[in-house]
Amino acid sequence: MKRIHALGLCVWLLVGLLGPVASFAAKEDQQSPTTIESDGMTYAELRQTNVFTGNVRLNRGSLAIRGDKLTMSQTHDGFQIGLVEGKPATFRQRRDGPGDPFVEGAAERIDYDGKTETVVLSRNAELRKLEGGKVMNEVRGNTITYNQRTEFFTVNGSNPESKDSQRGRVKVIIQPKEAAGKP
C-alpha cells in the first residue's frame, strides 16, 4: 500500500511541477502520462518529498525536463514545490499555436512554487521562444522569474560570480518577423 501511495503522490506532485508550463503547453500534454527516469530515487513519506538523482529525464507529452537532480515536495497546505538542478537543467515544450511554436529554457537551477504559480530560472538562465525550429526571441540573465497567473516575467542580470564580460547584464534578442521566416 505504501508503494502505491508513494507512486500516486509522486505523480500528483509532478502535476504541480508541470503547472507553470501549462499556460505554454500544447493541450494534449495535459492528458499525457508522465514518465521519469533517473539513476536513483528516494521518497520521504513524512516530508512528502521525492528526490530523483543522476541523469534525470522527465517527459510528459511534448514537455521534456532534464537535470542532475529533481526534488519535489508538498507544503502542509497542499501546494507543490519543485526544484530541478543541473549543469544546466533544461526544459523544452511545444506550445499551442501556428508555426510549430516551442519554448525552452536552461539554468543551473529551476524552481517552481505552486502557491504563487512562479517559475524561477537561476544562475546562467536562458529562455527562448522558437517557431518552426528558429529562435524568435531569446532572453538571458542570471535570474528569470515568470509568474504563470499574470504571464509577466522579469530578468535580473546581476551575478557577481560570473567571469563573463557580460556579467551583470541582461541580454534580449528579438528577431524581426520577416527575417525569421526566411531560410
Side-chain angles (χ1 to χ4, degrees), residues 5-165:
H5 176 71
L7 181 59
L9 178 63
C10 175
V11 171
W12 190 69
L13 287 172
L14 284 173
V15 171
L17 177 66
L18 302 176
V21 190
S23 64
F24 290 123
K27 289 178 185 169
E28 67 269 13
D29 287 357
Q30 296 174 8
Q31 302 302 319
S32 297
T34 300
T35 303
I36 302 174
E37 295 179 35
S38 66
D39 294 338
M41 184 199 96
T42 60
Y43 174 68
E45 189 166 357
L46 290 177
R47 294 183 306 177
Q48 296 188 4
T49 301
N50 284 293
V51 179
F52 298 88
T53 55
N55 194 25
V56 178
R57 297 175 172 271
L58 181 148
N59 292 298
R60 180 178 185 189
S62 71
L63 175 66
I65 295 175
R66 305 289 184 258
D68 300 325
K69 182 177 179 183
L70 170 61
T71 305
M72 297 178 297
S73 60
Q74 180 179 350
T75 63
H76 294 292
D77 49 354
F79 292 98
Q80 294 80 35
I81 297 172
L83 165 63
V84 183
E85 297 172 278
K87 296 280 184 186
T90 64
F91 75 90
R92 178 177 167 91
Q93 186 168 33
R94 187 169 31 81
R95 301 177 315 137
D96 281 330
D100 196 26
F102 274 83
V103 64
E104 63 184 23
E108 291 179 26
R109 178 182 174 121
I110 303 173
D111 290 272
Y112 172 65
D113 183 328
K115 188 171 190 169
T116 62
E117 296 183 44
T118 304
V119 180
V120 180
L121 291 88
S122 304
R123 299 193 300 260
N124 300 314
E126 300 177 356
L127 191 61
R128 288 173 294 284
K129 178 184 172 188
L130 298 95
E131 288 182 15
K134 297 188 185 299
V135 176
M136 299 303 293
N137 301 313
E138 183 173 0
V139 63
R140 295 179 191 164
N142 187 55
T143 306
I144 300 172
T145 303
Y146 174 75
N147 183 303
Q148 179 186 8
R149 288 183 199 146
T150 63
E151 296 188 19
F152 181 81
F153 70 92
T154 59
V155 183
N156 181 339
S158 64
N159 180 2
E161 298 175 11
S162 177
K163 295 172 180 37
D164 185 313
S165 63

